[in-house]
Amino acid sequence: MDAERLIGVTRQALAGSGEAWDVIAEAWQAQALAQAIGNRLALSGPPELRGEARELGETGSHGGDLPEAREAGGGGPGFGGPGVGGPDLRGPGAGGPGAELYGAELRFGDGSRARQLTSVPDARGALTGLAELLGEVGIALVAVACATDEEALYWQCIEAIDAADEASDRVAGLLRRLVAQEQERARKETRERQRQQEAERERERRRDHGRGRGR
């Protein structure tokens, strides 16, 4: 599936997230997709984008696997919480270091929607859509963080917000570079057209001059 379709699917899934942990899951889906698009552009995107695209592919590597299922016992989707078959989800000050957060423990798994990515045919369109998706992710995560009294969920939101912010910054940089390159190409094309027009006018003047002397 191409990048823009996957972005659209993810935006719809995020908008339809009915519970807080669903928002967390979709935030990491978006993060995985941002990384996948970055990696794809680094390999086969416009040459001027490849260095920064590689950096986008590495964003958020400090956290975030995708919840696959819910289990009883608390601790978020796919985990039973501390002592119930999952890592300690408690944040700083709650008996566990921040690095023990659920998002920091794993990498993107088989449930990642980004695994369906096949191509990025329109780099600018994909990056624009990705920027919009990451903005929506940030808004949704802030809403969840502000509304929850559950410490594990709060710290998951903070983790995901940090990753989304990092990816957003990378995407914004890629868009700026892409726009700058497009503008430079447009300027070069304009200068070339002007040069060709001037050359044609000069040829026309010479023809007119030659015809005048022939009389």
Side-chain angles (χ1 to χ4, degrees), residues 21 69-89 102 150 152-153:
W21 281 107
R70 296 183 183 275
E71 293 179 8
F79 291 94
V84 194
D88 188 346
L89 301 182
Y102 157 62
E150 182 182 344
L153 178 58

Side-chain angles (χ1 to χ4, degrees), residues 204-215:
E204 187 64 30
R205 283 195 296 269
R206 290 179 180 178
R207 285 194 295 268
D208 291 344
H209 182 68
R211 284 194 292 269
R213 291 183 61 185
R215 293 193 192 93

